[in-house]
Amino acid sequence: MQHKPANTRVEIHELIQTRLSPRAFDPDKPVNHNDLLALLEAARWAASCFNDQPWRFVVCDKATDEAAWQQAFGTLVEKNKQWAKNAPLLILSVAMEHFNHNGKPNRWAMYDTGAASASLCLQATALELCVHQMGGFDADLAHEVFQLPTNCQPMAMMAVGYQADVGVLDEDFKSAELAERARVALDERFYAGSWGKGIE
């Protein structure tokens, strides 16, 4: 696995500092079932409004159900197909739009589903797995092929597996894979007491 820790302003936990979203996945190394369950358990224990747990995850494991994996793969935009073809797992995250306890619209469902997905990603890092979350997929097609209910929103397709050498990638992706990790300065996104006043 490439070791590209984030260059942080202050020390943060190693799991967060080393989490990556690579495109180079090892096509010959499946994810074992216990590790998959650990990823899902991590997501299951995320915080959510009213403990409603509005997330749903559709897991498509190429090793055990290639037909489902091919359905997930078929929803991806062409550019993502070029590298996601090597990921042993494709997982669709879905946010349910209404609360379980009263049927009212849940405007926090997408936020909570993102929190569950972040927990999954950190557990993956702890297991030396990698996750690359993709917005580049056809949500309407995902609704159709996975027979999703009408009151939900497909959020992301996640490629999950073990990182491989960049040599498995087409030339178009190698430079991005090798590039230095970067974020905008802390005070440009995080404010102290009022909008736009960067935190010191």
Side-chain angles (χ1 to χ4, degrees):
M1 181 186 294
Q2 280 192 75
H3 188 65
K4 291 171 42 172
N7 182 16
T8 61
R9 180 170 157 181
V10 296
E11 186 175 342
I12 61 174
H13 196 282
E14 182 183 6
L15 279 179
I16 302 168
Q17 189 173 26
T18 58
R19 184 208 60 79
L20 285 174
S21 299
R23 293 180 178 86
F25 286 94
D26 187 339
D28 301 316
K29 194 170 181 183
V31 177
N32 77 56
H33 192 64
N34 281 344
D35 286 347
L36 168 59
L37 292 180
L39 301 184
L40 303 181
E41 277 289 349
R44 183 167 80 108
W45 286 96
S48 63
C49 183
F50 287 111
N51 193 26
D52 193 77
Q53 303 159 58
W55 49 77
R56 305 290 186 272
F57 291 84
V58 181
V59 179
C60 302
D61 188 337
K62 194 173 189 179
T64 60
D65 189 349
E66 186 167 359
W69 187 94
Q70 289 291 351
Q71 284 186 314
F73 184 74
T75 69
L76 300 180
V77 299
E78 195 56 41
K79 190 170 183 180
N80 285 336
K81 285 180 179 178
Q82 293 174 39
W83 59 266
K85 64 187 178 185
N86 291 325
L89 294 177
L90 291 173
I91 302 177
L92 177 66
S93 63
V94 179
M96 303 305 294
E97 295 175 345
H98 298 89
F99 282 114
N100 289 307
H101 67 281
N102 62 14
K104 292 182 178 179
N106 179 0
R107 78 174 187 89
W108 301 276
M110 291 186 283
Y111 180 90
D112 292 344
T113 300
S117 298
S119 292
L120 185 154
C121 291
L122 292 175
Q123 180 64 36
T125 303
L127 295 172
E128 299 186 348
L129 289 160
C130 291
V131 182
H132 190 114
Q133 301 181 76
M134 297 171 273
F137 74 103
D138 187 330
D140 291 335
L141 182 57
H143 257 285
E144 179 185 335
V145 298
F146 293 116
Q147 301 177 12
L148 304 181
T150 57
N151 62 331
C152 71
Q153 183 65 46
M155 298 305 302
M157 187 69 74
M158 295 182 278
V160 183
Y162 291 93
Q163 192 175 14
D165 184 82
V166 295
V168 304
L169 294 172
D170 296 338
E171 289 299 325
D172 292 347
F173 298 110
K174 286 181 181 177
S175 58
E177 197 80 353
L178 294 170
E180 184 178 345
R181 299 176 67 191
R183 292 292 190 273
V184 299
L186 197 71
D187 60 3
E188 292 183 38
R189 295 291 187 273
F190 301 90
Y191 305 140
S194 63
W195 188 265
K197 181 184 175 186
I199 197 155
E200 296 293 330

